[in-house]
């Protein structure tokens, strides 16, 4: 018995009223009941919930499953363990007062940094509600609180998110809506409050708390030496009955929190004026009365403004002379919103004045997305990982261009530069925010690529020409060519494609010269890749990318009248070599080669953290270079074929062989229980009795003493990539098995369901999950031909579709397709269902 769901399945199939639970006869703990996918988190499942709120590239905080705010990261830098002393409270006069949060999770009580000091400064010792449940409907998160109070409480946290409107989706703003219902038989006088220390304060500068309409502003001033210290955070309501205390009691020890809690308990609503500086905290109060069964919603709006940083990443080409005379701080990262608003009051006014419209449009997206009949584990996985776009993993610089980390460190961005070989896996942004995705291509080809076609896979921040001092990434650079094709088909903008085509052609020519100088059609010279090492000799992994890139450059070239015959010949050679020489009848593999290549000896070649000590030299002579996969069954072994399909290209390799490889990956690499699996690398992604998809296995033997460095790990982004590809090949059950195992690990008990991590929190690779929409349904819209493609693997369905010009739902019922456009326009001239052209019913729900 490997997991809770196996147990429940066995129980259901047994037909027995009661059976001995697994472990009952062995002394092992019985499995806990499974939470159905895409439903609320309660009890032990509501332990690690932290749901990101914020704008794309604007910073974030998280709404916890208890109703608390944490991960407060609004200073253009991650602060994962920043949980400020800020809280909502309700006093029911004549009854009691409560912090409007559920019980403090046990894991916070001890084991964190400085836990031995007793949680000094936290609000955890104040009375709070008895229990909490959490439900996610991205980007809305709802907390339901229960207690013996006569008032029921529900909190909905959200921030704007609307496909095709990146600016509205990139605002430094969040909202918490507190809904109160009188459960009793008599009227209740209540006082709501929202209270906060000045968590924006900085050392060696002026810290203050000011006023805004119906609220207060926590502030720190910048200095000439440290302009990045400037920061403002506004907390306000839309209720004109709001009373503001802009200065808590000033004193030592625990005086401020002690005194404000006494005021809350007494139901006071004190008004105190702002002081020039030194206020420890502030509160806002909203008195109200609820009749029996009466309801009231209080909207707490929050906005921030931190316009300056000292953040830069990468080495700038010495020949580049930045133009920063108008604003010297542009030599550092400045967030996009700083170019849109003059300060915190303008930011707060925008939130206040546009709240209704932004909520209506965000709710339209949410309702449309969840109007789906796809398996709940798939919807949960996709929606959970869209929170990456609200996390500190992503940035937008002052001119609006998109720039990303790979993930989020506890207090730093993890692995800089919109890394091409990681962001290859992302399939969400290209459909939800096509303009942002196109800006990545423009950076890659116009800024981070030199005249020879060498592309640095990490771009600078601010975005500037780079120093070309390391390998190109084979998978990242070849994948980028396919993605130019994808962005063309999604946008329908042939002029845009034509403008990038010369750069894409220079890129593919560089790849040919560097990795396939013999023009065999396979990538065999040492090639850097997403595993942070170089593969030596021909790999199906990189060659599948190569073939997809050759298909893309050929199709784009033909569309603008270029001679692409040389690329076509190369593609034919490569496909033949891949299928005949890199496929063992079961799966694709690597032919390890380190002699007879143009590259220098592995001991002399440039590489990251690959050291040839005397022991390693002995292995080199015996086995060849370190960190290869050779005869292994690599989960990413035919990934280029997956990306080709995600980009609207045909299978670049024989479909039967692709399916065979994927079935081998499922058979050999998917483990329902990892208890006996040895992983000396990074184990906490999946371990013990958990299940997961290993990056590689060696079912036919041949594993090197030191295979590639992450081979024993489990990465969610690769799990979704393989699951999607299995679905595309008709192996839906196997794909869903992998998805379920992944989401069972992120069940809220040990891990946060809204933070799939790899080399950092909110790791970008997990955005491969969005591809499952197409994997199950085959739905793809081509804006060039105005064609809607459907190739369902699950029979009838309803599924979300986002395009460059609008979004809605696609439905297939009894073989008849229909398209309901919820917003914008999706012009369809024809529909193609499993290769058959047909008519489609269209409706515009927003008309």
């Amino acid at each position: 018995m490997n997991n809770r769901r196996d147990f429940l399945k066995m129980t259901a199939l047994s037909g027995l009223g009661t059976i001995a639970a697994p472990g009952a006869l062995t002394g092992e703990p019985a499995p806990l009941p499974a939470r159905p996918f895409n439903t609320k988190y309660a009890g032990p499942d509501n332990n690690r919930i932290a749901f990101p709120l914020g704008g794309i590239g604007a910073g974030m905080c998280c709404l916890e499953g208890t109703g608390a705010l944490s991960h407060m990261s609004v200073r253009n830098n991650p602060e994962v363990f920043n949980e400020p002393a800020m809280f909502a409270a309700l006093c029911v006069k004549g009854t009691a007062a409560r912090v409007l949060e559920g019980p403090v999770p046990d894991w916070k009580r001890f084991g964190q940094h400085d836990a031995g000091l007793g949680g000094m400064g936290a609000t955890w010792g104040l009375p709070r509600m008895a229990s909490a449940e959490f439900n996610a409907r991205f980007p809305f998160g709802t907390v339901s609180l229960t207690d013996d109070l006569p008032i029921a409480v529900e909190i909905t946290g959200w921030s704007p998110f609307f496909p095709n409107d990146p600016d509205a989706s990139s605002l430094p703003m969040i909202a918490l809506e507190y809904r109160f219902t009188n459960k009793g038989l008599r009227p209740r006088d209540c006082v709501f409050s929202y209270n906060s220390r000045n968590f924006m304060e900085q050392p060696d500068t002026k810290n203050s708390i000011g006023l805004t309409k119906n609220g207060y502003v926590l502030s720190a001033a910048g200095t000439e030496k440290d302009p990045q210290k400037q920061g403002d955070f506004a907390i306000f309501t839309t209720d004109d009955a709001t009373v503001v205390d802009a200065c808590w009691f000033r004193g030592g020890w625990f005086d401020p929190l002690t005194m404000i809690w006494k005021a809350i308990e007494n139901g006071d609503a004190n008004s105190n004026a702002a002081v020039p500086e030194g206020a420890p905290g502030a509160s806002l109060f909203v008195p109200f009365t609820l009749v029996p069964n009466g309801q009231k919603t209080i909207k707490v709006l929050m906005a921030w403004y931190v316009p300056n940083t000292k953040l830069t990443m990468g080495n700038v080409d010495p020949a580049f002379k930045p133009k920063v005379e108008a604003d010297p701080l542009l030599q550092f990262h400045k967030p996009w919103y700083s170019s849109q608003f003059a300060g915190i009051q303008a930011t707060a006014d925008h939130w206040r004045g546009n709240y209704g419209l932004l909520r209506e449009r965000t709710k339209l997206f949410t309702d449309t997305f969840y109007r789906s009949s796809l398996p709940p584990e798939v919807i949960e996985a996709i929606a959970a990982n869209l929170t990456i776009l609200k996390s500190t993993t992503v940035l937008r610089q002052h001119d609006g261009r998109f720039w990303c980390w790979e993930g989020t460190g506890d207090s730093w961005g993890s692995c800089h530069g919109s890394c091409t070989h990681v962001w290859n896996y992302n399939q969400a942004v290209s459909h939800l925010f096509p303009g942002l995705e196109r800006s990545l291509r423009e950076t890659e080809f116009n800024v981070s690529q030199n005249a020879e076609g060498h592309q640095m896979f990490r771009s600078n921040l601010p975005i500037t020409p780079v120093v070309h001092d390391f390998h190109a990434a084979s998978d990242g650079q070849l994948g980028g060519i396919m993605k130019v094709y994808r962005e063309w088909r999604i946008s329908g903008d042939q002029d845009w494609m034509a403008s990038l085509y010369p750069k894409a052609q220079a890129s593919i020519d560089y790849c040919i010269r560097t990795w396939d100088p013999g023009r065999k059609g396979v990538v065999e010279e040492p090639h850097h890749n997403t595993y942070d090492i170089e593969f030596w000799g021909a790999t199906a992994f990189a060659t599948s990318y190569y073939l997809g890139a050759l298909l893309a450059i050929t199709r784009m070239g033909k569309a603008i009248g270029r001679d692409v015959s040389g690329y076509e010949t190369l593609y034919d050679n490569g496909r033949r070599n891949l299928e005949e020489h890199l496929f063992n009848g079961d799966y694709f593999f690597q032919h390890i080669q380190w002699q007879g290549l143009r590259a220098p000896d592995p001991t002399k070649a440039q590489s990251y953290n690959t050291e040839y000590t005397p022991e390693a030299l002995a292995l080199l002579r015996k086995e060849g270079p370190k960190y290869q996969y050779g005869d292994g069954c690599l989960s990413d072994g035919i990934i280029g074929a997956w990306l080709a399909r995600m980009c609207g290209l045909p299978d670049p390799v024989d479909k039967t062989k692709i399916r065979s490889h994927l079935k081998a990956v499922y058979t050999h690499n998917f483990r329902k229980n990892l208890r006996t699996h040895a992983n000396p690398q990074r184990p906490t992604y999946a371990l013990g009795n958990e299940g997961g998809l290993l990056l590689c296995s060696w079912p036919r033997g041949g594993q090197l003493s030191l295979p590639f460095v992450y081979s024993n790990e489990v990465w969610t982004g690769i799990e979704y990539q393989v699951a999607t590809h299995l679905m595309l090949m008709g192996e839906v059950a196997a794909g869903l098995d992998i998805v379920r195992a992944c989401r069972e690990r992120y069940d809220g008990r040990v891990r946060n369901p809204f933070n799939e991590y790899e080399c950092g929190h909110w790791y970008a690779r997990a955005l491969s999950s969005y591809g499952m929409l197409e994997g199950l349904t085959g739905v793809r819209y081509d804006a060039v031909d105005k064609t809607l493609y459907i190739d369902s693997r699950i029979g009838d369905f309803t599924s979300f579709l986002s395009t460059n010009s609008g979004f809605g739902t696609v439905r297939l019922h009894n073989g008849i397709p229909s398209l309901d456009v919820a917003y914008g326009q999706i012009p369809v001239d024809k529909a193609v269902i499993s290769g058959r052209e047909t008519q489609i019913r269209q409706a515009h729900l927003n008309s």
Side-chain angles (χ1 to χ4, degrees):
M1 194 65 56
N2 292 312
N3 54 43
R4 302 193 307 273
R5 293 181 193 280
D6 287 343
F7 172 52
L8 291 179
K9 182 178 179 181
M10 185 182 76
T11 305
L13 293 176
S14 71
L16 300 176
T18 59
I19 63 172
L25 302 180
T26 64
E28 295 178 2
L32 295 167
R35 166 192 156 270
F37 293 114
N38 203 33
T39 60
K40 67 183 180 182
Y41 297 84
D45 295 319
N46 188 10
N47 185 43
R48 284 286 184 171
I49 307 296
F51 185 77
L53 304 173
I56 297 173
M60 72 163 192
C61 65
C62 288
L63 176 64
E64 296 194 349
T66 61
L69 290 184
S70 65
H71 298 68
M72 183 62 69
S73 303
V74 297
R75 286 191 165 275
N76 303 292
N77 193 65
E79 296 182 76
V80 167
F81 291 103
N82 183 13
E83 184 175 342
M86 57 190 306
F87 62 98
L90 179 71
C91 174
V92 182
K93 291 188 175 182
T95 303
R98 296 283 188 272
V99 172
L100 296 181
E101 299 172 15
V104 176
D106 288 345
W107 59 269
K108 287 189 177 183
R109 300 185 187 195
F110 187 76
Q112 297 198 92
H113 183 66
D114 285 338
L117 298 178
M120 185 166 58
T123 66
W124 302 337
L126 301 178
R128 47 223 321 114
M129 303 290 277
S131 66
E133 296 179 347
F134 184 85
N135 193 38
R137 287 295 178 264
F138 179 86
F140 296 90
T142 299
V143 180
S144 300
L145 299 171
T146 57
D147 196 84
D148 54 6
L149 288 179
I151 307 296
V153 183
E154 186 176 84
I155 310 166
T156 296
W158 71 282
S159 50
F161 189 92
F162 195 72
N164 281 304
D165 193 342
D167 291 352
S169 304
S170 300
L171 298 170
M173 305 167 184
I174 71 167
L176 300 174
E177 299 173 347
Y178 292 84
R179 280 182 288 278
F180 303 102
T181 304
N182 186 350
K183 303 181 294 181
L185 299 177
R186 63 183 181 89
R188 295 287 182 173
D189 293 327
C190 306
V191 179
F192 168 84
S193 63
Y194 202 92
N195 317 274
S196 182
R197 294 186 188 272
N198 185 3
F199 60 84
M200 297 299 289
E201 67 180 13
Q202 296 285 296
D204 303 318
T205 190
K206 179 182 178 182
N207 299 296
S208 61
I209 299 179
L211 296 174
T212 189
K213 182 181 179 182
N214 297 330
Y216 51 90
V217 180
L218 312 173
S219 296
T223 66
E224 184 176 354
K225 177 184 176 183
D226 292 309
Q228 78 281 2
K229 289 183 177 180
Q230 177 188 349
D232 303 286
F233 194 99
I235 303 174
F236 55 99
T237 77
T238 59
D239 194 316
D240 288 336
T242 302
V243 177
V244 179
D245 175 358
C247 182
W248 284 356
F249 185 97
R250 286 168 284 182
W253 290 98
F254 312 112
D255 296 358
L257 188 60
T258 299
M259 295 301 285
I260 194 61
W261 182 251
K262 289 183 181 297
I264 292 168
E265 280 188 313
N266 293 334
D268 298 335
N270 299 322
S271 175
N272 281 320
V275 298
E277 59 182 304
S283 298
L284 60 81
F285 303 94
V286 182
F288 63 97
T289 298
L290 279 181
V291 300
N293 297 315
Q295 293 186 330
K296 181 176 179 63
T297 298
I298 296 175
K299 301 168 185 173
V300 177
L301 280 60
M302 300 182 185
W304 57 91
Y305 190 81
V306 186
N308 303 314
T309 78
K310 287 288 184 74
L311 178 61
T312 64
M313 294 302 302
N315 297 316
V316 180
D317 184 344
F320 175 71
K321 303 300 179 185
K323 299 177 181 179
V324 296
E325 293 83 2
D327 184 356
L329 290 174
L330 286 175
Q331 65 185 300
F332 306 108
H333 170 65
K334 285 178 72 74
W336 167 80
Y337 69 77
S338 69
S339 70
Q340 305 299 303
F341 303 110
I344 187 59
Q345 296 293 354
T347 309
D349 286 345
H350 184 85
W351 195 201
R352 191 182 284 116
N354 293 278
Y355 185 88
L357 176 62
L358 290 169
R359 194 187 198 287
E360 177 185 341
R361 296 175 75 192
T362 300
K363 186 66 161 52
L364 177 62
F365 158 72
T366 299
D367 291 345
T368 307
F369 178 83
Y370 284 96
R371 194 180 296 125
S372 173
S373 65
L374 300 189
E377 57 267 42
V378 169
I379 296 301
E380 177 181 295
I382 295 170
N385 283 299
L386 290 180
T387 64
I388 294 167
L389 301 181
K390 293 193 169 289
S391 77
T392 46
T393 295
V394 299
L395 299 175
R396 286 185 75 189
Q397 70 170 29
H398 72 283
D399 58 8
R401 283 183 285 179
F402 199 43
W403 187 97
C404 316
W405 306 99
E406 293 179 23
T408 287
D410 291 349
S411 58
W412 67 92
S414 179
C415 304
H416 79 279
S418 310
C419 179
T420 58
H421 60 66
V422 169
W423 280 87
N424 257 352
Y425 292 75
N426 156 48
Q427 298 304 319
V429 179
S430 59
H431 294 280
L432 295 170
F433 301 103
L436 293 183
E437 187 71 34
R438 288 196 298 275
S439 79
L440 290 180
R441 301 293 85 72
E442 291 159 6
T443 297
E444 291 161 11
F445 287 91
N446 292 334
V447 183
S448 296
Q449 181 173 302
N450 63 16
E452 288 72 39
H454 175 277
Q455 197 174 94
M456 285 295 288
F457 57 89
R458 298 191 187 279
S459 294
N460 289 349
L461 182 72
I463 297 170
T464 51
V466 298
V467 175
H468 292 262
D469 58 358
F470 194 68
H471 301 296
S474 57
D475 44 355
Q477 184 151 342
L478 290 163
I481 296 166
M482 281 192 269
K483 290 185 289 185
V484 173
Y485 179 87
R486 179 187 66 189
E487 270 60 271
W488 169 41
R489 307 309 294 194
I490 287 175
S491 69
D493 189 343
Q494 185 150 310
D495 290 341
W496 178 87
M497 180 273 285
S499 72
L500 278 189
Y501 187 84
K503 300 290 182 67
Q505 189 172 19
S507 175
I508 192 70
D509 289 347
Y510 172 87
C511 295
I512 294 167
R513 292 194 308 271
T514 304
W515 299 310
D516 181 27
R519 300 185 71 86
K520 302 174 185 177
V522 295
V523 176
E524 67 176 2
E525 291 287 325
H527 41 289
H528 191 76
N529 56 73
T530 200
Y531 306 113
D532 297 328
I533 44 80
E534 291 73 49
F535 286 144
W536 288 73
T539 64
F541 162 79
T543 299
S544 64
Y545 274 114
Y546 187 20
L547 297 181
L550 288 167
L551 281 177
I553 202 73
T554 298
R555 290 188 168 212
M556 290 187 291
K558 285 183 175 179
I560 56 175
R562 302 295 176 88
D563 179 9
V564 294
S565 56
Y567 300 129
E568 290 179 309
T569 300
L570 197 54
Y571 167 78
D572 291 338
N573 292 341
R575 175 168 178 163
R576 183 174 59 255
N577 278 323
L578 179 64
E579 293 179 355
E580 293 180 1
H581 302 299
L582 291 173
F583 183 75
N584 63 15
D586 192 17
Y587 56 83
F588 292 97
F589 62 95
Q590 174 194 13
H591 174 66
I592 299 175
Q593 181 182 358
W594 62 285
Q595 295 173 325
L597 300 175
R598 297 190 181 185
D601 183 284
T603 63
K604 301 174 184 176
Q606 185 185 39
S607 188
Y608 173 71
N609 207 28
T610 301
E611 299 179 15
Y612 276 94
T613 61
E615 303 97 302
L617 286 171
L619 281 178
L620 173 65
R621 290 188 289 269
K622 179 181 178 182
E623 300 180 351
K626 292 196 292 184
Y627 309 145
Q628 310 301 299
Y629 72 94
D631 292 329
C633 180
L634 183 69
S635 289
D636 268 350
I638 196 68
I639 185 176
W642 167 76
L643 185 58
R645 289 290 297 272
M646 293 292 98
C647 292
L649 291 160
D651 293 316
V653 188
D654 177 68
K655 188 172 185 176
T656 303
K657 292 181 172 63
I658 294 173
R659 182 184 291 111
S660 176
H661 177 89
L662 293 167
K663 291 173 71 174
V665 166
Y666 175 73
T667 298
H668 302 302
N669 296 4
F670 180 56
R671 309 290 171 84
K672 291 189 175 182
N673 190 302
L674 292 163
R675 186 176 60 84
T676 61
H677 170 66
N679 178 6
Q681 296 156 5
R682 297 177 297 183
T684 66
Y685 305 145
L687 77 166
N689 290 327
E690 297 171 331
L693 184 77
L694 301 177
L695 267 60
C696 196
S697 68
W698 282 262
R700 298 189 176 202
Q703 181 177 358
L704 301 182
S705 298
L706 290 171
F708 71 94
V709 293
Y710 307 129
S711 56
N712 291 299
E713 297 179 2
V714 173
W715 296 354
T716 69
I718 290 179
E719 288 180 305
Y720 295 132
Q721 180 269 124
V722 171
T724 299
H725 211 177
L726 281 164
M727 294 167 184
L728 286 168
M729 295 294 119
E731 302 293 336
V732 172
L736 292 178
D737 270 354
I738 295 171
V739 176
R740 293 187 196 108
C742 177
R743 290 308 297 171
E744 284 177 350
R745 298 196 306 273
Y746 287 86
D747 62 1
R749 300 183 181 211
V750 176
R751 296 180 183 85
N752 179 6
F754 309 101
N755 177 6
E756 293 188 7
Y757 58 99
E758 189 187 307
C759 188
H761 306 279
W762 292 287
Y763 198 78
R765 203 185 310 268
L767 286 167
S768 60
S769 54
Y770 194 89
M772 290 189 290
L773 293 177
E774 183 175 349
L776 289 171
T777 67
V779 169
R780 177 175 61 85
Y781 176 70
D782 189 314
V784 176
D785 296 335
K786 295 182 172 57
T787 299
L788 183 67
Y789 293 91
I790 302 173
D791 189 11
S792 177
R793 301 302 182 186
I794 53 173
D796 291 350
F797 68 84
T798 301
S799 183
F800 178 73
L801 172 68
S802 183
T803 74
N804 192 64
S805 56
F807 65 82
T809 54
V810 176
R811 184 169 182 254
L812 185 67
H813 181 66
N814 293 330
I816 300 173
S818 59
L819 171 64
D820 293 332
V821 180
Y823 186 84
Q825 303 291 326
I826 306 178
V828 177
D829 289 346
K830 64 180 178 180
V832 176
I833 302 178
S834 302
R836 174 179 56 87
E837 188 171 330
T838 187
Q839 299 297 310
I840 185 169
R841 182 191 68 80
Q842 300 182 56
H844 292 267
L845 303 182
N846 60 325
S847 58

